[in-house]
Amino acid sequence: IPAKIFKLNQVTSSLLILDLKLHPESNFKFIPGQYIDLSRSNIKRSYSIMSFDQQNKVLRLFIKNYIHGAMSQYLFEESKVGDLLVIFGPHGTFCFEDSERSSSNLFFATGTGIAPYVSILNDLEARNIEVSISLFWGNRYADEFLELPDFKSIDLKVYRALSQETKEGFYNGYIQDLF
């Protein structure tokens, strides 16, 4: 599926929110939690879908800059609004089954691995599913955290852990130790 870069939001020097605009006639559909393969020339990398605005046909990805990464180098240093890319997918079976929810759902994410959880949380909220979730989210530094929206139907408790710095309001260490 062809997609144009619609917006580039560099959150930090190592994190980017990338919005891709699909053709208005595109029938792209995904299950929250899935990923796509993003391609440019002979480079193809997988990224989890953070959100998809069906009405405006805008796909959002949360991307980490990997040193010497071919796609990272392009996205962080060379890309510009209007560039044409190709997406393949969606792929994957990582999703939240309504039938599997319990009274104490646990989500674990590090870094940009939060992206599929954001799509799952947004879907649960849109469907007004009442659920309780404890999210353990780890990053190296405090500026790598995104602001999560307020949810009405989800009782969300977020535990943020920092592995490379100490800062008030965050746990110090790794999420598995925090858990």
Side-chain angles (χ1 to χ4, degrees), residues 11-12 14-15 62 64 111 137 139-146:
V11 179
T12 69
S14 65
L15 297 171
F62 190 32
K64 178 170 178 56
W137 183 12
N139 276 302
R140 291 181 179 139
Y141 305 100
D143 67 350
E144 296 174 332
F145 287 95
L146 295 177

Side-chain angles (χ1 to χ4, degrees), residues 6 23 43 48 58 62 77 79 81 87 89 105 108 131 137 151:
F6 183 65
H23 189 276
I43 305 166
S48 292
V58 175
F62 190 32
E77 298 173 19
S79 66
V81 171
I87 61 172
N105 298 280
F108 294 88
V131 64
W137 183 12
F151 297 104

Side-chain angles (χ1 to χ4, degrees), residues 38-44 71 74 84-86 88:
L38 184 63
S39 178
R40 177 185 179 268
S41 302
N42 60 345
I43 305 166
K44 187 187 278 188
M71 186 63 86
Y74 162 70
L84 184 62
L85 303 170
V86 178
F88 298 88

Side-chain angles (χ1 to χ4, degrees), residues 58-72:
V58 175
L59 182 69
R60 177 166 282 175
L61 308 173
F62 190 32
I63 298 173
K64 178 170 178 56
N65 188 3
Y66 286 98
I67 296 171
H68 307 298
M71 186 63 86
S72 289

Side-chain angles (χ1 to χ4, degrees), residues 14 22 29 54 64 72 78 83 104-105 113 132 135 147 167 175 178:
S14 65
L22 307 184
K29 290 182 172 55
Q54 181 72 39
K64 178 170 178 56
S72 289
E78 303 166 26
D83 284 0
S104 57
N105 298 280
S132 178
L135 168 62
E147 194 66 35
K167 191 166 186 175
I175 58 172
L178 170 59

Side-chain angles (χ1 to χ4, degrees), residues 6 19-22 51-54 56-60:
F6 183 65
D19 287 352
L20 299 170
K21 179 90 167 166
L22 307 184
S51 67
F52 180 60
D53 178 346
Q54 181 72 39
N56 295 308
K57 304 292 186 185
V58 175
L59 182 69
R60 177 166 282 175

Side-chain angles (χ1 to χ4, degrees), residues 122-160:
N122 286 334
D123 175 64
L124 292 170
E125 180 73 9
R127 293 187 298 128
N128 203 29
I129 303 291
E130 291 187 12
V131 64
S132 178
I133 297 172
S134 293
L135 168 62
F136 293 81
W137 183 12
N139 276 302
R140 291 181 179 139
Y141 305 100
D143 67 350
E144 296 174 332
F145 287 95
L146 295 177
E147 194 66 35
L148 296 175
D150 290 326
F151 297 104
K152 294 181 179 128
S153 66
I154 303 169
D155 176 23
L156 181 64
K157 293 176 186 71
V158 181
Y159 303 91
R160 292 176 175 90

Side-chain angles (χ1 to χ4, degrees), residues 66-113:
Y66 286 98
I67 296 171
H68 307 298
M71 186 63 86
S72 289
Q73 181 179 348
Y74 162 70
L75 290 172
F76 281 81
E77 298 173 19
E78 303 166 26
S79 66
K80 60 190 178 310
V81 171
D83 284 0
L84 184 62
L85 303 170
V86 178
I87 61 172
F88 298 88
H91 306 291
T93 58
F94 179 77
C95 58
F96 186 81
E97 298 286 341
D98 290 348
S99 62
E100 295 178 351
R101 74 176 181 212
S102 69
S103 60
S104 57
N105 298 280
L106 301 174
F107 287 5
F108 294 88
T110 57
T112 57

